Amino acid sequence: MAAIALKCPRYKVTVVDVNEDRIKEWNSDRLPIYEPGLDNIIRKTRGVNLFFSTEIEKEIKEADIIFVSVNTPTKTFGLGAGMASDLQYWEKTAQAILENSEGPKIIVEKSTLPVKTAEAMERILRANSNNSQFEVVSNPEFLAEGTAMQDLLEPDRVLIGSHETESGLRAAEEIVNIYAHWVPRDRIITTNLWSAELSKLVANAFLAQRISSINSISALCEKTDADISEISYAIGSDRRIGPKFLKASVGFGGSCFKKDILNLVYIAESYGLSEVADYWRMVLKINEYQEERFVANIIKTMFNTVVGKKIAIFGFAFKANTGDTRESPAKFIAIKLIQEKAILSITDPQALRNAQIDLAGTGGEVTFDPDPYKAVEGASAIVVVAEWEVFKTLNYADIYKRMKKPALIFDGRNILDHQQLFKIGFNVYPIGKPNLTHFE
Ligand code: UDX
């Protein structure tokens, strides 16, 4: 919405939320999320044509176009629990729109939703009105956290799905006109409603699938003399495959991949397509396997016990450049190590507040320190979980001195200079590459 406000000065954009504290934060100097470049855009647009408010009814009444971006987490109860999306917030929003609308409006579905929810939205919206009052358009979001502003200002594509009726196409054109302020017309793709909705799930499923594919091969590399970085480079040089999303890691996290694949699996199953469901389920299974074998390797390497040993976790966010920890592999790893009675010290440039919330109640001995040099004091091992740039440039000779010996590094992102670390004296355990150890 901030990008629209920035690029379309003639539009007035108001963001509404039921959560008063959040809206207060959006109206303050301390924004509720960390996203590089966002504060700059908010500073330029807030109070000019971008507003944050809790007056939901009033803003619904006044709006011509409503973007619905409410949370659609995976259901935790009842039918479809653990797989289907929980649409309760989204349905409440549809009701609020229905109750507070006096004139025709375009409803733009932004939340990631299972296919055919636009149809359900329409059913709610049309329950009490004449059929022409609301036109539902799907405009899925493809931004990635950490690069959100760049993804929004220079998107690979913008996708707009609508009914292929006259009024549907007219509504889609209205949304096209917004994006056309800054996105070249040939990058704005218009499709039917269901293709747009399904494309979002499929895009995320394909991205996640690439990571699981390379991670599965990393396990094979660890059993042979092959090196996963060399393989990624070699296969990524084939233009048909391409180099992106081929970095082996401790596993993918984030709010989208798992949720969207579970949705895809649920949809496939609900249409009786069990082979299709099984195929995508394996992408998640490999991800869990990758996280599990990473922790198992830490424990095995530390002589099968981490009881009372201090382990420094480098990075708690689900990836670099964000403070978001949703589905972060770090959480899984930390909890496993706490269960094994390790003492954890966690460092992360942005995610410590969320890390504290995530690990509250685990009963573990855990400290949180923004300074990595302090976090490693007396530690037996460092576990790199998120690929923050800052971890690459630390003085590892100094870090080595502060640690207990033998000092171990488990590089779950392959971001460090392993040869250099080995020369300093570390025993190094990368992903999908031979270990470098001083042990006999
Ligand atoms: C993703 C999609 O990229 C975005 O288009 C969609 O709108 C939302 O979901 P996001 O979850 O923000 O975005 O992060 P992304 O950069 O895709 O990374 C997801 C996870 O995969 C992270 O944990 C990341 O570290 C991991 N990853 C990514 C790898 O392990 N290896 C890679 O090569 C790339």
Side-chain angles (χ1 to χ4, degrees), residues 42-60:
I42 299 277
R43 225 173 288 131
K44 282 189 190 147
T45 51
R46 196 172 53 197
V48 180
N49 66 334
L50 176 65
F51 302 90
F52 295 92
S53 160
T54 48
E55 290 186 289
I56 300 177
E57 286 89 8
K58 171 177 164 276
E59 296 301 339
I60 289 176

Side-chain angles (χ1 to χ4, degrees), residues 26 86 102 108 115 162 234 323 326 331 378 423:
W26 282 113
D86 183 349
E102 285 162 1
V108 187
V115 271
S162 70
R326 284 176 291 174
K331 188 173 164 187
K423 269 191 217 142

